[in-house]
Amino acid sequence: MKVQKSLNLAWDDFFISEPGMALWIQAQQLQGDALLQMQSLYGQHFPIEVRHYLAQWLEAQPWDAIDLENQQDEFKAKGLLDGLIQELQRKAEHQMGEDGFLLKIKLGHYATQLKSSYDPCPLELVRCVKHILYTEQRLVQEASNASSSGSGPVDGTSQKYQQINQTFEELRVMTQDTENDLRKLQHSQEYFIIQYQESLRIQAQLSSLASLPPAERVQRESGLQSRKSTLEGWLTREANTLQKYRQELAEKHQSTLALLRKQQTVIIDDELIQWKRRQQLAGNGGPSEGGLDILQAWCEKLADMIWQNRQQIRRVEHLTQQLPIPGPTEELLTELNATVTDIISALVTSTFIIEKQPPQVLKTQTKFSATVRLLVGGKLNVHMNPPQVKATIISEQQAKALLKNENTRNDSSGEILNNNCVMEYHQTTGTLSAHFRTMSLKRIKRSDRRGAESVTEEKFTVLFESQFSVGGNELVFHVKTLSLPVVVIVHGSQDNNATATVLWDNAFSEPGRVPFVVPDKVLWPQLCEALNMKYKSEVQSERGLSEDTLVFLAQKAFSSSSNNPEDFCNMTITWSQFNRESLPGRNFTFWQWLDGVIELMKKHLKSHWNDGAILGFLNKQQAQDMLMSKPNGTFLLRFSDSEIGGITIAWVAENPNKAGERMVWNLMPFTTKDFSIRSLADRISDLNHLLFLYPNQPKEEVFSRYCTPPNSKAVGDGYVKPEIKQVVKVEFSSPNPEPSPGNSFMEHAASPTVNQHHNFTIYPSMNDSMLDAEGEFDLEETMDMARQVEEFLRQPMETQWSGQQS
């Protein structure tokens, strides 16, 4: 069971359970603080009895299949709510006996209560249950890590989390220690003040003795002076002790703040930065960036401890103001105040993040969404006065100026509609976030481009900013965060070049860079890793780019003939080679060619790629060498070198003009336009001379399950539906030479791998003007012919049937 999209966390990353052991069973075994945290998840919004009695049902439901930001998923959420109510009612009905009677009433009450609470907003139920299940998983995992720390080796992630949790425990002890010392100081100071007031009272009494008779005055003065002397000696010693207490407490606070800053560096500068990096790679098809909830839990612990120490320092300041004692403490307290304010400011500003990025290829006049989140918003009670977030699109230069704290005069590079949103607090998950659901970029203002740079290489970013206060307006924060680079397009034809810019930036940008600096050249293996990630994600396949494929791509990118992968390991490829300079003899770039392959695969050929039916990445000569050793009728599928998004069929057969000679033929490439008319499986099924998919699989075993069922001869309105069939205008010897029956056909000319032109009389001859330089038919001409044949077949049938009906 996966965790929901908004949590972005695979449970398997943080939870190792015993086989068959339900989560709820393990959650009940938690102890101490973890048990209290688990129990705090439940309340009127979701009673713990519901979790207990429906444990198996709750853990079996597809909560992760629902996108909380997609209102269209509300119907699915309503189904889960109804199922929950039904399960509760069923469980209530089966309760027997005296105890069962009370439980029956209670469960029935909970069913009514949950329906009333969540029926108007079923997505909130999903959010609540996801949060509960995720938190239980985290608590169980943390407990598992703690118990296994001494029993054997653990992975790096577990060790890292264990270290973070141990540091938090150390900080908790240190904060509790300073709290105890502070109370001790406060009690000591209060007693000191009482004694000091007693000293003042004695002094007042001594001053009043002047009016007494001399004998009585001397007698009383002696006793008072003795008491005064003793008390002043005690006050002097106690003042030194108080000063020492203050000094020691300030030094302890220094140690605590130093450890807090170190822990914050680990969480913010390491863990959160790594999360952002994973989020960026996810834009290239990398794995999910992981959970924000565990990061939020850490950040909230940081905020809680920082705030506790800040309050302690403020109380010490108050004590020093109540009783000024000369010494270095005041200077230390000033330094501590500045440090703790700096730490909490860094925490708040760093945890204002983009949970869901806007699309990195952004088309004008098109709706898009984004989500920002303040990880410490709930802990600092920011939601008590919900802040508003504003989104603005700015250029690369404006982003640089912003990070340098230069005055940008609220400049923007375009106009975003619906760009204001109030942050909402979700009680069940404790998250404070703003969901921009219907933003739209109305217009864009471009800067002057440099050299060969195109509009699809120009980078923008969406700036999100807000302002809020914490601690009763003690601290006011103006927070800002920048989205990943965005390339703005105005037409779909710009999409592939814009995608290239985004892919290169996501793959090779460095953390903490100046916006949006990226290397102009990278090692070929680095690009291979990025391309493989992108390919697998787009095609939704575990079958990525093999080593042979990467060699083929290197040959194409570097115009090389080497077959040795080692030859390319230390080679670098530039951005220009990737997507600015055309490939030799072509009018498209390396990326444009590969992007065409990806588009073709994900739209029409995904299943065939996953089945291994498409070799794809090989040239004509490689195909010929592979096929010539196979029986006639053996074929393979390879991507066209000459056409973007084209795939061709190469097969071995007899040469019709030379008896006993065999040759390899290549069909004119099919494109996505062709497969929107007739599928690849149907086309291969039509061609009877294609017998075996390389190396030796009968084609029916591979493609038959994807073929379209044949249509009946007549349909209800009396018409016969015409069909398009794939026909090759060359006669090849095969066990079944008869063409498949059909009402119409689509012609494709075969092009031999050798440069020979043949005229065959099986079909009427066609002008050479329809052939390209390689002897291949023009696609548009071919499609026009298919449409003409359909029209020709349709007209007489319409006349005939209409005459009979009349």
Side-chain angles (χ1 to χ4, degrees):
M1 183 177 183
K2 300 175 183 176
V3 136
Q4 76 270 35
K5 190 176 183 179
S6 62
L7 289 180
N8 294 320
L9 178 63
W11 288 6
D12 292 343
D13 293 340
F14 299 100
F15 177 59
I16 306 171
S17 63
E18 297 180 20
M21 192 172 185
L23 171 61
W24 181 238
I25 295 175
Q26 298 176 88
Q28 293 175 80
Q29 297 171 4
L30 294 171
Q31 297 178 357
D33 184 58
L35 180 60
L36 293 175
Q37 288 186 55
M38 186 272 285
Q39 291 172 344
S40 69
L41 294 171
Y42 300 98
Q44 289 187 347
H45 63 283
F46 199 87
I48 195 169
E49 291 89 344
V50 176
R51 175 68 175 103
H52 181 75
Y53 287 103
L54 299 188
Q56 186 175 356
W57 184 88
L58 285 167
E59 293 174 32
Q61 301 313 303
W63 304 101
D64 61 314
I66 297 178
D67 184 355
L68 296 173
E69 298 173 18
N70 186 354
Q71 291 299 318
Q72 295 180 353
D73 278 4
E74 188 167 339
F75 179 76
K76 297 179 184 176
K78 182 64 165 60
L80 286 174
L81 172 61
D82 292 343
L84 175 65
I85 303 304
Q86 290 173 8
E87 284 296 313
L88 268 178
Q89 292 172 341
R90 186 178 299 114
K91 182 68 70 173
E93 290 170 0
H94 286 79
Q95 300 306 313
M96 306 292 289
E98 183 178 347
D99 293 339
F101 173 75
L102 295 175
L103 184 58
K104 179 176 184 178
I105 294 175
K106 184 176 285 190
L107 293 179
H109 169 71
Y110 289 150
T112 304
Q113 175 184 314
L114 290 172
K115 182 171 180 60
S116 174
S117 298
Y118 293 111
D119 208 41
C121 49
L123 285 173
E124 284 304 308
L125 171 73
V126 178
R127 187 189 305 277
C128 172
V129 175
K130 284 180 173 182
H131 175 66
I132 287 172
L133 294 176
Y134 164 74
T135 306
E136 288 179 357
Q137 289 280 17
R138 179 174 58 81
L139 292 171
V140 168
Q141 177 61 48
E142 290 175 357
S144 174
N145 289 342
S147 63
S148 64
S149 59
S151 60
V154 292
D155 60 34
T157 300
S158 298
Q159 289 179 337
K160 180 171 54 180
Y161 289 178
Q162 185 177 336
Q163 182 59 51
I164 289 173
N165 290 331
Q166 286 175 352
T167 302
F168 272 126
E169 177 60 20
E170 188 177 348
L171 284 165
R172 185 193 66 79
V173 171
M174 293 172 73
T175 303
Q176 186 61 52
D177 186 38
T178 50
E179 176 66 28
N180 294 336
D181 285 356
L182 178 55
R183 289 175 181 170
K184 180 180 177 181
L185 173 63
Q186 185 173 352
H187 293 155
S188 297
Q189 181 166 313
E190 288 172 354
Y191 186 66
F192 179 92
I193 291 173
I194 292 171
Q195 297 304 311
Y196 180 72
Q197 290 171 342
E198 176 65 15
S199 174
L200 293 178
R201 188 178 66 81
I202 292 172
Q203 182 61 46
Q205 287 178 339
L206 284 170
S207 300
S208 67
L209 293 179
S211 59
L212 294 176
E216 185 180 351
R217 183 174 71 237
V218 170
Q219 182 184 359
R220 296 187 61 182
E221 187 175 31
S222 175
L224 288 173
Q225 285 290 0
S226 176
R227 288 175 60 194
K228 178 184 177 185
S229 176
T230 302
L231 190 53
E232 285 180 347
W234 182 88
L235 289 172
T236 301
R237 292 193 304 274
E238 190 63 17
N240 291 330
T241 302
L242 288 174
Q243 181 64 12
K244 180 184 176 183
Y245 283 170
R246 291 177 181 180
Q247 181 81 13
E248 290 175 349
L249 185 54
E251 290 171 354
K252 284 186 176 181
H253 275 125
Q254 279 184 320
S255 299
T256 303
L257 293 185
L259 187 57
L260 272 169
R261 192 188 287 277
K262 181 180 178 182
Q263 179 82 325
Q264 183 162 301
T265 299
V266 170
I267 293 171
I268 300 300
D269 294 349
D270 294 344
E271 295 300 313
L272 187 56
I273 292 298
Q274 288 177 27
W275 180 89
K276 289 181 178 180
R277 179 60 182 149
R278 292 194 299 271
Q279 185 186 54
Q280 189 172 23
L281 289 176
N284 278 3
S288 173
E289 55 266 40
L292 270 179
D293 277 32
I294 194 165
L295 282 168
Q296 175 165 317
W298 288 339
C299 291
E300 286 181 339
K301 282 185 177 181
L302 277 172
D304 190 36
M305 290 185 176
I306 294 169
W307 200 256
Q308 285 184 48
N309 279 272
R310 185 176 186 272
Q311 294 302 98
Q312 288 180 10
I313 294 168
R314 296 290 295 276
R315 284 159 58 193
V316 175
E317 279 186 319
H318 181 65
L319 291 175
T320 59
Q321 290 166 4
Q322 277 186 331
L323 182 62
I325 301 175
T329 307
E330 290 185 4
E331 185 177 338
L332 266 176
L333 287 174
T334 301
E335 181 185 328
L336 288 173
N337 236 325
T339 301
V340 75
T341 301
D342 179 59
I343 293 174
I344 197 161
S345 296
L347 178 65
V348 172
T349 54
S350 299
T351 55
F352 182 66
I353 63 169
I354 302 173
E355 180 178 358
K356 178 186 176 184
Q357 291 280 342
Q360 287 188 264
V361 177
L362 186 56
K363 191 178 179 207
T364 55
Q365 311 293 333
T366 303
K367 287 184 179 180
F368 67 96
S369 62
T371 302
V372 294
R373 180 166 163 182
L374 182 62
L375 297 181
V376 294
K379 182 60 66 174
L380 296 179
N381 292 324
V382 176
H383 59 283
M384 301 303 290
N385 185 18
Q388 187 174 77
V389 184
K390 180 182 179 182
T392 312
I393 191 163
I394 61 176
S395 68
E396 183 173 340
Q397 291 301 320
Q398 289 166 339
K400 289 178 182 176
L402 183 70
L403 293 187
K404 291 178 181 177
N405 292 320
E406 296 177 4
N407 184 12
T408 57
R409 302 185 305 279
N410 296 321
D411 287 345
S412 69
S413 291
E415 181 182 354
I416 298 179
L417 303 179
N418 303 319
N419 66 328
N420 287 284
C421 185
V422 175
M423 299 195 86
E424 300 176 358
Y425 182 69
H426 301 279
Q427 186 73 39
T428 54
T429 60
T431 59
L432 182 70
S433 56
H435 302 275
F436 294 83
R437 293 184 173 90
T438 57
M439 286 192 289
S440 175
L441 182 58
K442 184 177 180 182
R443 61 179 181 83
I444 192 67
K445 180 171 64 178
R446 299 189 183 275
S447 59
D448 295 332
R449 291 182 294 282
R450 304 178 296 272
E453 186 180 80
S454 68
V455 295
T456 55
E457 294 179 35
E458 185 177 6
K459 300 172 190 174
F460 297 87
T461 180
V462 180
L463 165 66
F464 296 93
E465 51 189 334
S466 182
Q467 181 171 311
F468 52 86
S469 62
V470 298
N473 295 324
E474 288 182 31
L475 297 174
V476 178
F477 297 101
H478 186 195
V479 293
K480 300 179 181 181
T481 187
L482 295 174
S483 76
L484 293 173
V486 168
V487 178
V488 177
I489 63 174
V490 296
H491 192 273
S493 61
Q494 299 172 308
D495 184 79
N496 62 347
N497 290 325
T499 300
T501 301
V502 167
L503 184 147
W504 188 277
D505 190 278
N506 285 347
F508 309 123
S509 62
E510 295 291 335
R513 63 172 171 172
V514 175
F516 289 107
V517 174
V518 69
D520 183 63
K521 61 182 179 180
V522 298
L523 287 172
W524 171 250
Q526 291 178 285
L527 181 61
C528 289
E529 184 180 352
L531 294 179
N532 187 46
M533 182 185 295
K534 183 72 173 175
Y535 187 90
K536 290 169 69 175
S537 171
E538 292 292 327
V539 183
Q540 296 178 2
S541 172
E542 288 301 315
R543 182 190 170 203
L545 305 177
S546 67
E547 184 174 295
D548 289 341
T549 294
L550 295 175
V551 169
F552 171 84
L553 293 176
Q555 292 171 341
K556 185 177 289 290
F558 298 115
S559 301
S560 171
S561 59
S562 172
N563 289 317
N564 185 2
E566 298 297 324
D567 291 346
F568 303 107
C569 285
N570 296 317
M571 293 184 68
T572 58
I573 183 168
T574 65
W575 165 253
S576 292
Q577 288 173 301
F578 181 65
N579 195 48
R580 189 177 281 173
E581 301 168 358
S582 294
L583 293 171
R586 307 298 182 194
N587 61 353
F588 48 79
T589 66
F590 172 83
W591 166 253
Q592 288 169 346
W593 179 86
L594 182 58
D595 184 61
V597 168
I598 292 173
E599 285 297 304
L600 178 69
M601 299 303 293
K602 72 180 184 180
K603 287 182 178 177
H604 299 286
L605 306 179
K606 187 188 308 179
S607 299
H608 301 307
W609 174 263
N610 289 334
D611 288 348
I614 297 174
L615 294 179
F617 296 96
L618 63 161
N619 57 39
K620 277 187 177 181
Q621 187 59 50
Q622 289 171 321
Q624 178 167 319
D625 293 343
M626 294 166 66
L627 289 170
M628 287 300 290
S629 63
K630 298 298 177 181
N632 287 349
T634 303
F635 67 99
L636 57 78
L637 296 154
R638 69 174 187 87
F639 300 126
S640 170
D641 284 315
S642 60
E643 185 166 356
I644 293 178
I647 190 169
T648 186
I649 302 174
W651 75 98
V652 62
E654 296 292 334
N655 185 342
N657 290 345
K658 270 191 184 179
E661 181 180 289
R662 301 194 319 147
M663 60 191 304
V664 172
W665 303 78
N666 291 273
L667 270 188
M668 176 181 161
F670 301 116
T671 65
T672 186
K673 201 171 184 180
D674 295 297
F675 294 131
S676 64
I677 298 172
R678 188 157 176 79
S679 73
L680 174 66
D682 287 338
R683 290 174 184 273
I684 290 175
S685 177
D686 292 341
L687 301 177
N688 294 296
H689 57 275
L690 302 182
L691 304 177
F692 306 103
L693 178 67
Y694 183 90
N696 55 12
Q697 283 184 282
K699 70 177 182 181
E700 292 79 10
E701 290 182 6
V702 183
F703 297 101
S704 61
R705 65 180 179 275
Y706 300 113
C707 290
T708 305
N711 293 315
S712 58
K713 291 294 181 180
V715 291
D717 56 2
Y719 290 96
V720 176
K721 184 177 181 180
E723 293 181 354
I724 295 175
K725 290 287 185 181
Q726 181 77 33
V727 177
V728 175
K729 293 183 56 179
V730 181
E731 183 175 318
F732 301 99
S733 58
S734 71
N736 183 18
E738 292 300 319
S740 300
N743 301 93
S744 63
F745 56 86
M746 174 177 287
E747 297 177 345
H748 267 263
S751 61
T753 53
V754 292
N755 290 325
Q756 297 178 4
H757 295 281
H758 304 278
N759 291 320
F760 301 102
T761 57
I762 301 173
Y763 295 94
S765 61
M766 303 178 70
N767 294 330
D768 289 343
S769 61
M770 296 182 66
L771 298 172
D772 64 13
E774 296 182 347
E776 298 176 341
F777 274 92
D778 180 81
L779 177 62
E780 292 296 331
E781 294 283 353
T782 304
M783 294 179 64
D784 286 344
M785 178 173 292
R787 286 190 286 269
Q788 291 171 11
V789 171
E790 286 191 59
E791 289 296 323
F792 172 78
L793 291 172
R794 183 178 291 116
Q795 290 176 3
M797 285 190 286
E798 290 176 354
T799 305
Q800 178 182 1
W801 283 101
S802 61
Q804 291 179 1
Q805 289 172 348
S806 61

